[in-house]
Amino acid sequence: MVGGRVRLGIMSVPSTSARPVVANSVWPRLEPLLPQVTKPIQYVGGELGAVVKEWDAATVRWALMYPDAYEVGLPNQGVQILYEVLNELPDALAERTYAVWPDLERLMRAHGVPQFTVDAHRPVGDFDLFGVSFATELGYTNLLTAIDLAGIPLLAADRTDADPVVVAGGHAAFNPEPIADFVDAAVLGDGEEAVLEITGIVREWKVEGCPGGRDELLLRLARTESVYVPRFYDVDYLPDGRIQRVVPNRADVPFRVHKRTTMDLDAWPYPKKPLVPLAETVHERYAVEIFRGCTRGCRFCQAGMITRPVRERSITTVGQMVQQGLEFSGFHEVGLLSLSSADHSEIGDMCSGLAEQYQGTNVSLSLPSTRVDAFNIELAQELSRNGRRTGLTFAPEGGSERIRKVINKMVSKEDLIRTVVTAYTNGWRQVKLYFMCGLPTETDADVLEIADMAHEVIRAGRAATGSKDIRCTVSIGGFVPKPHTPFQWAAMQRPEVIDHRLKLLKQAINADRSLGRAIGYRYHDGEPSLVEGLLSRGDRRIGAVIRRVWENGGRFDGWSEHFSYQRWVEAAAEVLPGFGVDLDWYTIRERDELEVLPWDHLDSGLDKDWLWQDWQDALGEYEQDDCRWTPCFDCGVCPAMDTEIQIGPTGRKLLPLTPVNGLKLSAGAQQ
Amino acid sequence: MPVAFSQGFTPHPKISYASAAPTGVASEAEYLEIGLREPVDPEQLRLALDTALSPGLDVLDAVVADGASLPDRIEASRWRIELPQVDPDVLVRAVTVFAAADEVLVERMTKQGRRTFDARTAVISIDVDVVSPTPSGDSAVPCAILELVVRQVTPSVRPDDVLSGLRVVAGLEPPVAPKVIRLAQGTLTAQGVIVDPLDADRDGATIGGR
């Protein structure tokens, strides 16, 4: 007999019998509510990879949150890494919490159930630290829900020694000013070492008997010069509403707070024990970051600017992490993540090595390939050896050659068409092209060129393959200017302008009916982008707008079915005139060189003069090359942060795996 | 686990569940079948899966699948429904009316929309348990307990459908959410006893053991 079937009997026991319930668990009160809400499984916890440690054995306790629903939050790499790093410490524990949907929020309020962790269902208010990771500013209203449900005072100023220290992290924390009223601290940059340092400071302070209370603890954190404590800084405004200055209000805190950079990613091979979700989530795969940072220099890209320099993980460490991650989790998909994965110095060997190792095993590999480059197709072919063909996405970002020079996305129309046609001739029937609308200096004509490009792609694809069975999808996102980028000074376009351009583009695509039929068109309205822009470049005065929106029911602003533009416009109109500013002032106003920006005292390493020069280069349509292959262009990060580019090639190869048959018992799957 | 995959463009692991309990219902008897690429020791497999699954999801037994398919061996389920704050006498009266009816039409939202079907015929037995102590252990609050044996039919008649039936025929409205547990499922003997569907695959001795 080859294989065969096996039958199993399973028991899922009710809480009244065997499930272990810890002393401070809210589970007995939460469980009766769960049959009344959608997808209750997301609140149950107990995933493979989850850790429940003894409360009393830990000195420092973290509740970690990704402020979105479980299905989005669970796969988040940042939270998974910090969760594992912290739980490896013998005297610390970390548990996870996610945003609860409004149906459960209502029931929790009615029954007095506080915000809880999914691991041991402990109240978030019981922890020493409440760390929240923001990938986007649209999670701010969910932060307020979680703080409020946890029973923690909404305003940091009203909190006592009994409340957790609320710490913000993630990319949005590079300008935490809009949530300065609600968080006690913010950490800029890589979290691995930062959480260990913060844990050390909290541990010492607690062991000493908490001298000086909360104020002393926050002061000790601020003195590291890498933890920003908003309450220790005062913001003064000019009569016209602009910021005059941001200065410390006590002698012993630094004028500027610097980002953290984790060097040598091989020394931090996390996640080792990835979480395997119980409910369906947006990504179900083992994800390994193959490098961090990007110096391609796309001027709209905050991630590329604030994560410099490039630090590669070596091919051998990646191979080892994939092997152990798959063995532990049982996932059948591996994602090789980074900001531009095909740029890894050994990506070719990495892809062919992994494809070889997992040939015939139903493990599929995926590469978020965003560069428009024929090399990407070679890689994609390597990765689809197992027969599974993942989608191909290319991101020219701008429709015209001119706008691509403005944003520094160096790709010609000819390159793009050649690349896509190569994909079609290699068997792909469908490619996705990603663009942005609302970019600085953009005109209707720039956007309409997207239609020309899509038409030519289909025309050339049909000619090359002799088949009408090829398609492309044009996907358009709204441009949002972000802090610490050359576009931080740029004016946004009004949503009406964006929506009008999107409508013109749709007409242009369908102007040729034969070509138009082969082109899919997806876009986002201009309105959510404008609100994201308000929040991303906001200052402390925006906190009152966020609060008003939240009080009026604002939740899950990243979800179109929950987002209400009207609610934001009304809250801004109620709150901002009191400060002599308005929504337009924050969004469609271009800033000048000397204006003090709300995040100027937060140091991403980028030299503000260089950013301004790059902004001028953008307006002059002048391109900037990548410092990995051309001389340093003095963005300022390496000298300011005492870091350096870490790239290969190492010259090492992945060795074929010894085939493993039969059962593997993962040791310590549950603790 | 050397799980087998389906053929085709997007291969899926071969796992099939038979008559899974509804969301929010506890169970002491769920069954599934897994296709494997190679033979493995059932007890080793049981242990491996039990280790990987969440606390409270316990894999009790594994046998090599043979003969009739698993769905063919699931003819009926036994359920226990705890109804906190319901007077047992009130429940007894409602059950008597229900049992005496030939047909009790109830409604439920399904994926195809609202459906009306009979919740009575599939019920083989319905009894109020008067002897066992309250499983929740809270003696101050009255709690009525219902035991049901329900035949596997299409559309399936679930415990909440029987509760809907009790509301329809006797106006029974539990003040708090009932706690439902599936106690057993399997083949049904002429005497109304439910037989473990894995029994037929066991060579005399139990491999897993409770």
Side-chain angles (χ1 to χ4, degrees):
Chain A
M1 177 177 78
V2 176
R5 289 170 301 153
V6 64
R7 289 182 182 139
L8 298 109
I10 287 199
M11 170 163 91
S12 67
V13 287
S15 69
T16 39
S17 43
R19 187 178 171 116
V21 175
V22 301
N24 54 349
S25 171
V26 304
W27 180 253
R29 286 186 286 152
L30 175 66
E31 193 188 17
L33 309 182
L34 294 183
Q36 304 167 57
V37 303
T38 52
K39 297 189 197 164
I41 185 80
Q42 66 187 308
Y43 306 113
V44 168
E47 304 93 334
L48 183 62
V51 177
V52 174
K53 294 173 82 170
E54 210 182 308
W55 186 257
D56 292 328
T59 311
V60 183
R61 302 158 186 137
W62 285 81
L64 299 175
M65 179 180 203
Y66 188 84
D68 204 329
Y70 179 90
E71 63 195 83
V72 178
L74 183 129
N76 180 264
Q77 280 280 294
V79 170
Q80 287 206 22
I81 291 169
L82 300 185
Y83 178 71
E84 205 172 337
V85 166
L86 287 167
N87 277 322
E88 281 182 1
L89 296 176
D91 71 337
L93 67 81
E95 298 191 15
R96 297 159 296 131
T97 183
Y98 304 99
V100 298
W101 287 107
D103 60 350
L104 183 57
E105 183 193 336
R106 272 190 296 276
L107 286 168
M108 286 165 68
R109 289 187 188 282
H111 293 86
V113 177
Q115 180 79 24
F116 56 88
T117 59
V118 295
D119 300 289
H121 299 95
R122 288 167 169 141
V124 166
D126 284 3
F127 288 76
D128 300 306
L129 294 136
F130 181 24
V132 188
S133 177
F134 291 98
T136 153
E137 296 83 0
L138 295 175
Y140 289 162
T141 47
N142 284 356
L143 167 73
L144 298 201
T145 310
I147 290 176
D148 188 51
L149 278 176
I152 302 169
L154 221 43
L155 296 177
D158 297 337
R159 291 175 199 151
T160 70
D161 291 1
D163 295 308
V165 172
V166 180
V167 186
H171 289 180
F174 275 79
N175 176 25
E177 291 298 83
I179 49 169
D181 291 346
F182 315 118
V183 299
D184 296 290
V187 178
L188 281 59
D190 297 328
E192 289 96 335
E193 290 161 292
V195 292
L196 294 180
E197 185 176 6
I198 293 171
T199 302
I201 290 168
V202 173
R203 176 194 294 124
E204 197 168 302
W205 174 77
K206 285 184 82 171
V207 168
E208 288 169 19
C210 310
R214 193 177 187 86
D215 195 65
E216 167 72 15
L217 175 61
L218 292 173
L219 190 60
R220 290 186 187 187
L221 292 172
R223 282 199 200 118
T224 61
E225 305 195 0
S226 64
V227 178
Y228 174 54
V229 179
R231 72 173 62 181
F232 295 149
Y233 297 79
D234 288 336
V235 183
D236 298 327
Y237 300 95
L238 294 164
D240 66 3
R242 288 179 302 156
I243 293 171
Q244 183 177 29
R245 63 183 167 205
V246 181
V247 282
N249 55 25
R250 49 199 301 167
D252 39 7
V253 296
F255 274 85
R256 297 193 83 201
V257 179
H258 313 290
K259 77 161 179 180
R260 302 289 306 235
T261 310
T262 295
M263 300 302 288
D264 188 11
L265 293 196
D266 284 354
W268 299 89
Y270 298 92
K272 299 172 187 165
K273 295 180 176 177
L275 290 158
V276 181
L278 288 180
E280 203 175 330
T281 60
V282 291
H283 297 298
E284 287 173 6
R285 64 185 180 195
Y286 178 61
V288 52
E289 224 180 337
I290 61 173
F291 65 89
R292 208 173 278 180
C294 182
T295 39
R296 284 281 180 176
C298 303
R299 292 179 174 125
F300 54 83
C301 179
Q302 186 191 38
M305 294 289 164
I306 62 177
T307 61
R308 296 174 174 199
V310 171
R311 290 146 287 151
E312 286 188 356
R313 192 165 260 151
S314 71
I315 179 172
T316 38
T317 303
V318 169
Q320 205 170 10
M321 286 176 68
V322 169
Q323 186 194 337
Q324 288 170 2
L326 290 182
E327 202 160 301
F328 175 82
S329 65
F331 281 127
H332 288 115
E333 190 183 328
V334 177
L336 302 175
L337 306 191
S338 75
L339 293 171
S340 181
S341 292
D343 286 346
H344 191 284
S345 64
E346 290 177 296
I347 190 68
D349 285 343
M350 197 183 286
C351 290
S352 55
L354 288 172
E356 195 126 318
Q357 286 187 347
Y358 293 99
Q359 192 146 21
T361 60
N362 283 300
V363 169
S364 68
L365 301 160
S366 71
L367 196 66
S369 55
T370 52
R371 298 292 304 167
V372 180
D373 193 331
F375 181 53
N376 259 318
I377 296 178
E378 273 175 52
L379 294 177
Q381 280 199 289
E382 223 26 277
L383 298 185
S384 60
R385 261 203 235 178
N386 269 344
R388 275 231 252 182
R389 201 148 260 210
T390 50
L392 272 182
T393 300
F394 297 105
E397 316 278 4
S400 70
E401 194 92 21
R402 190 196 70 78
I403 202 85
R404 288 197 295 275
K405 284 184 176 157
V406 171
I407 63 178
N408 201 41
K409 190 87 187 189
M410 291 191 282
V411 53
S412 70
K413 187 176 178 179
E414 292 68 39
D415 278 347
L416 175 86
I417 291 169
R418 199 178 314 125
T419 304
V420 177
V421 168
T422 310
Y424 289 139
T425 50
N426 280 293
W428 270 271
R429 288 281 157 263
Q430 161 88 37
V431 294
K432 192 165 142 194
L433 302 175
Y434 181 82
F435 299 91
M436 273 189 282
C437 184
L439 289 162
T441 79
E442 179 185 279
T443 64
D444 291 356
D446 291 313
V447 175
L448 289 175
E449 277 200 44
I450 296 171
D452 296 341
M453 198 183 258
H455 284 167
E456 278 197 46
V457 157
I458 296 296
R459 216 178 278 127
R462 284 180 181 172
T465 59
S467 161
K468 285 218 159 189
D469 180 29
I470 52 156
R471 287 185 57 77
C472 82
T473 300
V474 170
S475 179
I476 317 269
F479 164 69
V480 179
K482 296 271 170 149
H484 307 277
T485 70
F487 289 166
Q488 64 183 356
W489 291 280
M492 291 187 82
Q493 287 290 358
R494 289 184 188 281
E496 306 89 81
V497 176
I498 304 288
D499 293 346
H500 180 64
R501 278 182 192 154
L502 293 172
K503 203 173 128 201
L504 290 179
L505 175 58
K506 185 177 188 172
Q507 288 165 357
I509 288 173
N510 292 323
D512 182 314
R513 287 186 57 194
S514 160
L515 297 173
R517 261 200 301 274
I519 301 167
Y521 182 48
R522 286 167 207 280
Y523 60 91
H524 293 286
D525 303 331
E527 291 178 345
S529 300
L530 195 85
V531 170
E532 201 182 329
L534 168 75
L535 297 173
S536 76
R537 293 192 296 175
D539 51 41
R540 292 189 181 184
R541 294 170 292 194
I542 294 300
V545 179
I546 297 169
R547 183 169 184 171
R548 182 62 55 89
V549 165
W550 177 76
E551 285 167 348
N552 291 339
R555 305 284 188 280
F556 289 90
D557 284 300
W559 296 69
S560 55
E561 60 268 50
H562 289 272
F563 176 79
S564 161
Y565 182 61
Q566 207 49 41
R567 195 151 44 203
W568 283 97
V569 169
E570 282 166 13
E574 277 173 54
V575 168
L576 295 178
F579 301 117
V581 290
D582 60 17
L583 180 57
D584 283 357
W585 189 86
Y586 282 100
T587 54
I588 63 168
R589 180 178 65 97
E590 183 168 331
R591 280 71 161 163
D592 66 28
E593 184 177 6
L594 295 178
E595 178 166 343
V596 176
L597 302 172
W599 51 91
D600 277 352
H601 57 299
L602 302 175
D603 182 15
S604 61
L606 296 158
D607 181 13
K608 197 178 177 189
D609 292 336
W610 176 80
L611 283 172
W612 178 261
Q613 189 51 51
D614 206 42
W615 170 225
Q616 299 310 302
D617 286 349
L619 297 172
E621 298 165 20
Y622 179 82
E623 293 164 306
Q624 172 62 60
D625 225 318
D626 190 316
C627 63
R628 273 171 291 183
W629 308 298
T630 58
C632 169
F633 47 76
D634 291 324
C635 74
V637 173
C638 290
M641 298 288 132
D642 193 22
T643 54
E644 58 185 3
I645 301 172
Q646 292 179 332
I647 54 174
T650 62
R652 284 176 296 199
K653 301 274 183 237
L654 285 179
L655 300 172
L657 292 176
T658 350
V660 189
N661 288 321
L663 282 164
K664 290 181 288 278
L665 281 178
S666 49
Q670 288 289 339
Q671 299 201 7
Chain B
M1 191 169 75
V3 66
F5 280 79
S6 63
Q7 299 297 305
F9 196 67
T10 46
H12 279 81
K14 286 187 175 173
I15 302 173
S16 55
Y17 300 87
S19 175
T23 301
V25 168
S27 177
E28 295 181 356
E30 296 298 300
Y31 296 90
L32 67 134
E33 202 167 81
I34 300 174
L36 297 170
R37 288 195 307 274
E38 58 194 80
V40 295
D41 175 51
E43 173 56 16
Q44 287 293 311
L45 181 91
R46 186 199 68 78
L47 192 63
L49 264 182
D50 197 46
T51 311
L53 281 172
S54 306
L57 271 180
D58 299 327
V59 185
L60 301 176
D61 202 353
V63 296
V64 176
D66 215 353
S69 80
L70 190 51
D72 288 346
R73 296 184 192 177
I74 305 287
E75 293 174 341
S77 282
R78 192 165 76 244
W79 305 89
R80 185 169 64 206
I81 307 176
E82 281 180 46
L83 297 157
Q85 299 173 36
V86 170
D87 181 343
D89 294 337
V90 173
L91 183 62
V92 167
R93 283 194 292 275
V95 163
T96 309
V97 181
F98 182 91
D102 291 333
E103 187 185 64
V104 177
L105 292 179
V106 297
E107 280 191 342
R108 175 166 28 109
M109 278 304 285
T110 68
K111 280 174 190 158
Q112 288 79 38
R114 187 161 286 282
R115 287 191 67 162
T116 303
F117 54 93
D118 174 27
R120 173 65 192 94
T121 314
V123 176
I124 296 163
S125 69
I126 177 165
D127 299 300
V128 178
D129 183 349
V130 285
V131 283
S132 60
T134 310
S136 303
D138 192 347
S139 55
V141 184
C143 180
I145 296 168
L146 195 59
E147 283 224 10
L148 292 173
V149 177
V150 183
R151 195 183 296 277
Q152 184 66 37
V153 291
T154 310
S156 61
V157 172
R158 310 188 311 200
D160 52 319
D161 300 320
V162 175
L163 290 173
S164 299
L166 291 172
R167 189 180 61 240
V168 170
V169 297
L172 185 80
E173 297 275 5
V176 296
K179 286 185 181 172
V180 184
I181 307 173
R182 172 183 263 158
L183 299 174
Q185 55 175 336
T187 47
L188 193 64
T189 66
Q191 292 74 38
V193 175
I194 291 175
V195 179
D196 183 339
L198 302 192
D199 270 359
D201 293 320
R202 291 190 187 99
D203 295 324
T206 304
I207 298 171
R210 288 187 189 216

